[in-house]
Structure formats: C-alpha cells, structure tokens
Amino acid sequence: MIVQGKWIIAVVTAICIAVSIVISVFVINPTYEAQTMLMISPIKKTEMQTTLIQTGDVDINNFSSLVDAISRYPEMSIDTYREQVKAPVILQYIRDELNMKDVPLSIIASKITVNAIKNTNLITISVRDVNPETAAEIANLVSDRFTRFVSETNQKQAESSAKFIENQMKKGRENMEKISEEYKNFLSQPRSPEEVKMELDSKLEKITEYKTQLSQIRVDENATRASLNTAKNLISKTPQKLVTDTTLLSDPLLTGMIKDKTGLSSEELAKIKMSTEQINVIYVELSNAVNELEVQLSNLEAQRKNMEQVIQDSQREIENLQAEYAEKQQQYEILKMELDLSKEAYNAYQQKYKESMIMQSAEVGKSSIVIVSEAIPPINPVSPKKALNVAIAGVFGMGISFAIVFTKEYLIRSKK
C-alpha cells in the first residue's frame, strides 16, 4: 500500500513543507527576544537589625520581638521580587515611556517573561517583540523601573511603620513620665520603704540586745536564788546567840566584890557556876547576807519582768513594721517594675523608629538589586523557527498522506 501510494505521500508531504516555508518566511513576522539579568540580594529583617546593631545605631532589648511583630518589615525573597516585575505600575510606566497608550497592559505583560535561575540569586527578564530595538528598550526599562519600584515600596512601608511607631513612642513616653512621677511621689513620702527598713533593722538590733540582757538577768537571778537558798540553809543551822558556862572565879573583879560582901571563901566561890550569852557574829553576817540577796533577787525579778515586757512591746512594734514594710515594698516593686517596663518599651520603640527612619532614607532597591547585564538589541529572531516548522510540517504531511493512502485502499477493498 505504501509503495502504491508513494506519489500521494510525496506530494502531500511536499505541499505541507511548502506551506510551512511560505508561512514561516512570508506570513509570520519574526520575533526578537532581548534579555537582561538582575542579581538579587534578598532583604531579611533579621539581617537589617544585625547590620544596625553592628553600627551601634540601636540597642536590642526584651521588647524588640514585640515591637517587630507590631511593625514588621516585609521580607523580600527571590520569588517575591520575581512576582513584582509585572506589577501594573511598571507596565503603565513602559506604556507611557514607549507611547503605547492604545496597547492593553495585558499585551505588554505577555511580552515579558521572568525566570529565576536555579540555585542562584539571579533572575532574567526576557522581552519578545517584532522589533529588536523595542524588545531591548522594554527589557531595560523594566529592570530600571523595577529597581525604583522596590525602593519606593520599601520606603512607603518604612514611612508607614515610622509614623505608627512614632505615635506609639509618644504614648510610651507619656506613660513613662506618668509612672516616673508616681514613683518619685512614692519615694518622697515621709515613711519610704527604705526608712521603714532602717527602723525595722534598728528595732531588730534592739530586741536582740534586749534578749541578750534578759538572758543575763535570768542567769544572775538563778545564781542569786541559789546563793539565797544556800544562805538560808546555813542560817537555819547557825545559832542566833552563843552561851558560855564558867565559874565565878573566872571574873576576878566580880569575885572580889562578892567576897567583900558575903565573906565566902574561894573554894565556895569556885562552886558557883555562871552562864554568859552573846550574839553570834556569824549568824548576824548570814542574816545580813540573806537580806542583801533577797533585795538583789527582788531587783533582778523586777528587771526580768520589765525586760520581758519591753521585749513583748518591741516584738509587736517589729510585727507592725514588718507588715508596713512588706506593703510599702510591694508598692515600690510594682512601681519600679512598671517604670522599668515603660522605659524598656520606650527604648524598643526608639530603636525601631531609628531603624524605620534608616529604611525610609535608604534606597533599598538599588542596594539589593544589581543589573548584571543590560539588554542589547538581538540580531537573530527567536521565532519563527523555520527548521522546526518545516520538520513539523513534514511529519504532519506524512501523517496525512499515510491516512489518505490507507483510507483509499480501505475503500477499494470494501467495494470488492
């Protein structure tokens, strides 16, 4: 069948090839592609903060994460940049610059292709047009306007963040001043926590001294009571008076007087007994000692009771001072903590405000986007691809011719 229909196959294939050549050469306008390449440095908020910290412009504190969450700077990745290349603002700029007012933005966008080169921070902007000069001009305009667009977008974001942070900073300063005034007024009170603490420490020192004195008084009281008991025991065994038995002859004067008056002899006088009594000196001394010890013990007991009362009163005063100090200290710590937090928040807002001002004044687009190569007018068109079109037409013609041959043979056999 193929051999019999070889002329049909050759003719149909030749016609298809001829038609494709005519269309590719005379009908389809050649399209040129100009390409520009950009090197992107992705913007990350953490990197920006690190840079500012290294230059000494800010001071990181505990509120940084909170303030960053309130006024977050957008992180720009390669994909983010790539999606922004065909922004309406950029397309409108191209239309105005090239005086293409009647051309829809969608048509201009269809001419532009943006690709990111894998595993690099490079993106390519390709523009196709029937005019090679126009293609190159559009590519260069897109890269230039895109750089300025990124800078303007980031500056607007920084300006908005700066205004918001400035308002928050004013509120934070007002709150800090208010709390600071309350803090000063609290410290200027007649009995500040420090004064109460000093008084409490003084009372504690005094009560320690009182307790030491009370211990000494108790020791002296016990010793005096023991001495008194010993003295009483001794005095109970000691006679109050001493009695002495003697003869009358022991007193010559008295013996002589009695002899003169009575005429008794010495032998008779010797038989007369005489008893003498005298106060016991030891008993007197022991009695005096007991009296002194009783007076001393009475004084010590009075001192002990008085000291116990003083300690009890001091203990109550200390308890009252401790309660007062705890209350004032709690108020002081609350005010101090609020003041520290307000200062920390204000410093965080100041830090973020400085960062926003720097971002607002910096041309981030120019610093983060570098045009590696500008587009130049291409010499050779990228379409139509004549050889490919001819090859496709040849394959298509052979397919059609085979179908014709098979169909013809099928019809002939069907009739038979």
Short mmCIF file of all heavy atoms in Angstrom, two decimals, residues 194-232:
data_model
loop_
_atom_site.label_atom_id
_atom_site.label_comp_id
_atom_site.label_asym_id
_atom_site.label_seq_id
_atom_site.Cartn_x
_atom_site.Cartn_y
_atom_site.Cartn_z
N GLU A 194 12.61 52.47 102.42
CA GLU A 194 13.97 52.45 102.95
C GLU A 194 14.00 52.91 104.41
O GLU A 194 14.70 52.32 105.25
CB GLU A 194 14.86 53.35 102.10
CG GLU A 194 16.35 53.26 102.42
CD GLU A 194 16.91 51.89 102.14
OE1 GLU A 194 16.37 51.18 101.26
OE2 GLU A 194 17.90 51.52 102.80
N GLU A 195 13.21 53.95 104.72
CA GLU A 195 13.16 54.43 106.11
C GLU A 195 12.54 53.38 107.02
O GLU A 195 13.02 53.14 108.14
CB GLU A 195 12.36 55.73 106.17
CG GLU A 195 13.04 56.90 105.46
CD GLU A 195 12.17 58.15 105.49
OE1 GLU A 195 11.03 58.04 105.97
OE2 GLU A 195 12.63 59.21 105.03
N VAL A 196 11.46 52.75 106.55
CA VAL A 196 10.82 51.70 107.35
C VAL A 196 11.80 50.54 107.55
O VAL A 196 11.88 49.96 108.64
CB VAL A 196 9.52 51.21 106.67
CG1 VAL A 196 8.92 50.05 107.43
CG2 VAL A 196 8.52 52.35 106.56
N LYS A 197 12.56 50.22 106.51
CA LYS A 197 13.54 49.13 106.62
C LYS A 197 14.62 49.48 107.63
O LYS A 197 15.02 48.62 108.44
CB LYS A 197 14.17 48.90 105.24
CG LYS A 197 15.17 47.74 105.19
CD LYS A 197 14.47 46.43 105.42
CE LYS A 197 15.37 45.25 105.07
NZ LYS A 197 16.64 45.23 105.78
N MET A 198 15.10 50.72 107.62
CA MET A 198 16.12 51.13 108.59
C MET A 198 15.58 51.06 110.01
O MET A 198 16.26 50.58 110.93
CB MET A 198 16.60 52.54 108.26
CG MET A 198 17.37 52.65 106.94
SD MET A 198 17.80 54.36 106.51
CE MET A 198 18.83 54.80 107.91
N GLU A 199 14.33 51.53 110.18
CA GLU A 199 13.71 51.47 111.52
C GLU A 199 13.53 50.03 111.96
O GLU A 199 13.75 49.68 113.13
CB GLU A 199 12.37 52.20 111.49
CG GLU A 199 11.71 52.31 112.86
CD GLU A 199 10.42 53.11 112.82
OE1 GLU A 199 10.11 53.69 111.75
OE2 GLU A 199 9.72 53.15 113.85
N LEU A 200 13.13 49.17 111.02
CA LEU A 200 12.94 47.76 111.34
C LEU A 200 14.26 47.11 111.73
O LEU A 200 14.33 46.35 112.71
CB LEU A 200 12.33 47.05 110.14
CG LEU A 200 12.11 45.54 110.26
CD1 LEU A 200 11.15 45.24 111.41
CD2 LEU A 200 11.56 44.96 108.96
N ASP A 201 15.31 47.42 111.00
CA ASP A 201 16.63 46.87 111.34
C ASP A 201 17.08 47.34 112.72
O ASP A 201 17.67 46.56 113.50
CB ASP A 201 17.65 47.27 110.28
CG ASP A 201 17.37 46.63 108.93
OD1 ASP A 201 16.66 45.60 108.91
OD2 ASP A 201 17.86 47.15 107.90
N SER A 202 16.81 48.63 113.01
CA SER A 202 17.18 49.16 114.33
C SER A 202 16.42 48.44 115.44
O SER A 202 16.99 48.07 116.48
CB SER A 202 16.90 50.66 114.37
OG SER A 202 17.15 51.19 115.66
N LYS A 203 15.11 48.22 115.21
CA LYS A 203 14.30 47.51 116.20
C LYS A 203 14.80 46.07 116.39
O LYS A 203 14.83 45.54 117.51
CB LYS A 203 12.84 47.50 115.78
CG LYS A 203 12.16 48.86 115.86
CD LYS A 203 11.94 49.29 117.28
CE LYS A 203 11.17 50.62 117.35
NZ LYS A 203 10.99 51.09 118.75
N LEU A 204 15.18 45.44 115.31
CA LEU A 204 15.68 44.07 115.41
C LEU A 204 16.99 44.02 116.19
O LEU A 204 17.22 43.09 116.99
CB LEU A 204 15.88 43.49 114.00
CG LEU A 204 14.59 43.20 113.21
CD1 LEU A 204 14.93 42.79 111.78
CD2 LEU A 204 13.77 42.10 113.88
N GLU A 205 17.86 45.02 115.96
CA GLU A 205 19.09 45.07 116.74
C GLU A 205 18.80 45.29 118.22
O GLU A 205 19.41 44.66 119.10
CB GLU A 205 19.98 46.20 116.20
CG GLU A 205 20.54 45.92 114.82
CD GLU A 205 21.39 47.06 114.32
OE1 GLU A 205 21.56 48.04 115.08
OE2 GLU A 205 21.88 47.00 113.17
N LYS A 206 17.84 46.19 118.51
CA LYS A 206 17.48 46.47 119.89
C LYS A 206 16.91 45.23 120.58
O LYS A 206 17.29 44.91 121.71
CB LYS A 206 16.47 47.61 119.95
CG LYS A 206 17.05 48.99 119.77
CD LYS A 206 17.92 49.36 120.95
CE LYS A 206 18.46 50.79 120.80
NZ LYS A 206 19.35 51.15 121.93
N ILE A 207 15.97 44.54 119.90
CA ILE A 207 15.36 43.38 120.54
C ILE A 207 16.38 42.27 120.75
O ILE A 207 16.29 41.49 121.71
CB ILE A 207 14.14 42.88 119.72
CG1 ILE A 207 13.25 42.00 120.59
CG2 ILE A 207 14.57 42.11 118.48
CD1 ILE A 207 11.95 41.63 119.92
N THR A 208 17.40 42.23 119.88
CA THR A 208 18.47 41.26 120.09
C THR A 208 19.25 41.61 121.35
O THR A 208 19.61 40.72 122.15
CB THR A 208 19.40 41.24 118.86
OG1 THR A 208 18.65 40.92 117.70
CG2 THR A 208 20.50 40.21 119.04
N GLU A 209 19.51 42.90 121.52
CA GLU A 209 20.20 43.34 122.74
C GLU A 209 19.34 43.05 123.98
O GLU A 209 19.85 42.59 125.01
CB GLU A 209 20.50 44.83 122.66
CG GLU A 209 21.52 45.19 121.57
CD GLU A 209 21.74 46.69 121.49
OE1 GLU A 209 21.14 47.42 122.32
OE2 GLU A 209 22.50 47.14 120.61
N TYR A 210 18.03 43.33 123.86
CA TYR A 210 17.14 43.08 124.99
C TYR A 210 17.13 41.60 125.37
O TYR A 210 17.16 41.24 126.56
CB TYR A 210 15.72 43.53 124.65
CG TYR A 210 15.56 45.03 124.50
CD1 TYR A 210 14.55 45.57 123.71
CD2 TYR A 210 16.43 45.91 125.13
CE1 TYR A 210 14.40 46.94 123.56
CE2 TYR A 210 16.30 47.29 124.99
CZ TYR A 210 15.28 47.79 124.20
OH TYR A 210 15.15 49.14 124.06
N LYS A 211 17.09 40.74 124.37
CA LYS A 211 17.07 39.31 124.64
C LYS A 211 18.39 38.86 125.27
O LYS A 211 18.40 37.99 126.16
CB LYS A 211 16.81 38.54 123.35
CG LYS A 211 15.38 38.66 122.86
CD LYS A 211 15.15 37.87 121.59
CE LYS A 211 13.68 37.99 121.14
NZ LYS A 211 13.43 37.24 119.88
N THR A 212 19.47 39.47 124.83
CA THR A 212 20.78 39.15 125.44
C THR A 212 20.79 39.58 126.90
O THR A 212 21.24 38.84 127.79
CB THR A 212 21.90 39.85 124.67
OG1 THR A 212 21.86 39.44 123.30
CG2 THR A 212 23.26 39.48 125.25
N GLN A 213 20.29 40.80 127.17
CA GLN A 213 20.22 41.29 128.56
C GLN A 213 19.30 40.42 129.40
O GLN A 213 19.59 40.12 130.56
CB GLN A 213 19.73 42.74 128.56
CG GLN A 213 20.71 43.71 127.93
CD GLN A 213 20.17 45.13 127.88
OE1 GLN A 213 19.13 45.43 128.49
NE2 GLN A 213 20.86 46.01 127.16
N LEU A 214 18.16 39.99 128.81
CA LEU A 214 17.22 39.14 129.55
C LEU A 214 17.87 37.81 129.91
O LEU A 214 17.69 37.30 131.04
CB LEU A 214 15.97 38.91 128.71
CG LEU A 214 14.90 38.00 129.33
CD1 LEU A 214 14.38 38.58 130.64
CD2 LEU A 214 13.75 37.78 128.35
N SER A 215 18.63 37.27 128.99
CA SER A 215 19.33 36.01 129.29
C SER A 215 20.31 36.20 130.44
O SER A 215 20.40 35.35 131.34
CB SER A 215 20.06 35.52 128.03
OG SER A 215 19.14 35.26 127.00
N GLN A 216 21.03 37.33 130.42
CA GLN A 216 21.98 37.59 131.50
C GLN A 216 21.26 37.81 132.83
O GLN A 216 21.72 37.32 133.88
CB GLN A 216 22.83 38.82 131.14
CG GLN A 216 23.95 39.11 132.13
CD GLN A 216 24.94 37.96 132.21
OE1 GLN A 216 25.33 37.42 131.19
NE2 GLN A 216 25.34 37.60 133.43
N ILE A 217 20.13 38.51 132.79
CA ILE A 217 19.35 38.74 134.03
C ILE A 217 18.86 37.41 134.58
O ILE A 217 18.89 37.19 135.81
CB ILE A 217 18.17 39.69 133.73
CG1 ILE A 217 18.70 41.11 133.47
CG2 ILE A 217 17.19 39.71 134.90
CD1 ILE A 217 17.63 42.07 132.99
N ARG A 218 18.40 36.53 133.71
CA ARG A 218 17.92 35.21 134.17
C ARG A 218 19.06 34.40 134.79
O ARG A 218 18.87 33.72 135.80
CB ARG A 218 17.29 34.46 133.01
CG ARG A 218 15.91 34.98 132.65
CD ARG A 218 15.38 34.30 131.42
NE ARG A 218 14.01 34.74 131.13
CZ ARG A 218 13.34 34.44 130.02
NH1 ARG A 218 13.94 33.70 129.07
NH2 ARG A 218 12.11 34.88 129.84
N VAL A 219 20.24 34.52 134.18
CA VAL A 219 21.40 33.82 134.75
C VAL A 219 21.72 34.38 136.13
O VAL A 219 21.95 33.63 137.10
CB VAL A 219 22.60 33.94 133.79
CG1 VAL A 219 23.88 33.40 134.48
CG2 VAL A 219 22.35 33.17 132.51
N ASP A 220 21.75 35.72 136.23
CA ASP A 220 22.04 36.35 137.53
C ASP A 220 20.95 36.02 138.55
O ASP A 220 21.24 35.79 139.74
CB ASP A 220 22.14 37.87 137.36
CG ASP A 220 23.34 38.26 136.51
OD1 ASP A 220 24.24 37.43 136.35
OD2 ASP A 220 23.35 39.40 135.98
N GLU A 221 19.69 35.99 138.10
CA GLU A 221 18.58 35.68 139.01
C GLU A 221 18.69 34.25 139.54
O GLU A 221 18.51 34.01 140.76
CB GLU A 221 17.26 35.86 138.27
CG GLU A 221 16.03 35.62 139.16
CD GLU A 221 14.74 35.75 138.36
OE1 GLU A 221 14.80 36.03 137.14
OE2 GLU A 221 13.65 35.55 138.96
N ASN A 222 19.01 33.33 138.67
CA ASN A 222 19.16 31.94 139.13
C ASN A 222 20.33 31.79 140.09
O ASN A 222 20.26 31.08 141.10
CB ASN A 222 19.34 31.01 137.93
CG ASN A 222 18.08 30.93 137.08
OD1 ASN A 222 16.96 31.09 137.60
ND2 ASN A 222 18.24 30.68 135.78
N ALA A 223 21.43 32.50 139.76
CA ALA A 223 22.60 32.44 140.65
C ALA A 223 22.29 33.06 142.01
O ALA A 223 22.66 32.52 143.07
CB ALA A 223 23.78 33.15 140.00
N THR A 224 21.58 34.20 141.99
CA THR A 224 21.22 34.86 143.27
C THR A 224 20.26 34.00 144.07
O THR A 224 20.39 33.88 145.31
CB THR A 224 20.58 36.22 142.97
OG1 THR A 224 21.48 37.02 142.19
CG2 THR A 224 20.25 36.95 144.26
N ARG A 225 19.30 33.36 143.39
CA ARG A 225 18.36 32.49 144.11
C ARG A 225 19.08 31.29 144.71
O ARG A 225 18.78 30.88 145.85
CB ARG A 225 17.26 32.03 143.14
CG ARG A 225 16.17 31.21 143.83
CD ARG A 225 15.04 30.85 142.89
NE ARG A 225 14.19 32.01 142.62
CZ ARG A 225 14.18 32.69 141.49
NH1 ARG A 225 15.00 32.33 140.51
NH2 ARG A 225 13.39 33.72 141.34
N ALA A 226 20.03 30.75 143.99
CA ALA A 226 20.80 29.63 144.53
C ALA A 226 21.62 30.08 145.74
O ALA A 226 21.69 29.37 146.78
CB ALA A 226 21.72 29.06 143.45
N SER A 227 22.23 31.27 145.64
CA SER A 227 23.00 31.79 146.79
C SER A 227 22.10 32.05 147.98
O SER A 227 22.46 31.77 149.14
CB SER A 227 23.72 33.08 146.38
OG SER A 227 24.62 32.84 145.32
N LEU A 228 20.89 32.58 147.74
CA LEU A 228 19.94 32.86 148.81
C LEU A 228 19.52 31.56 149.49
O LEU A 228 19.45 31.48 150.74
CB LEU A 228 18.73 33.60 148.25
CG LEU A 228 17.63 33.94 149.27
CD1 LEU A 228 18.16 34.86 150.37
CD2 LEU A 228 16.45 34.63 148.56
N ASN A 229 19.25 30.55 148.72
CA ASN A 229 18.86 29.26 149.31
C ASN A 229 19.99 28.69 150.15
O ASN A 229 19.76 28.12 151.24
CB ASN A 229 18.46 28.28 148.20
CG ASN A 229 17.18 28.70 147.52
OD1 ASN A 229 16.33 29.37 148.12
ND2 ASN A 229 17.02 28.32 146.25
N THR A 230 21.22 28.84 149.65
CA THR A 230 22.37 28.36 150.43
C THR A 230 22.52 29.13 151.73
O THR A 230 22.78 28.54 152.81
CB THR A 230 23.65 28.50 149.57
OG1 THR A 230 23.49 27.77 148.35
CG2 THR A 230 24.86 27.97 150.32
N ALA A 231 22.35 30.45 151.66
CA ALA A 231 22.47 31.27 152.87
C ALA A 231 21.37 30.93 153.87
O ALA A 231 21.61 30.85 155.08
CB ALA A 231 22.42 32.74 152.49
N LYS A 232 20.16 30.74 153.42
CA LYS A 232 19.05 30.38 154.31
C LYS A 232 19.29 29.02 154.95
O LYS A 232 18.98 28.80 156.13
CB LYS A 232 17.74 30.37 153.53
CG LYS A 232 17.21 31.74 153.19
CD LYS A 232 15.88 31.64 152.47
CE LYS A 232 15.30 33.04 152.18
NZ LYS A 232 14.01 32.96 151.49
#
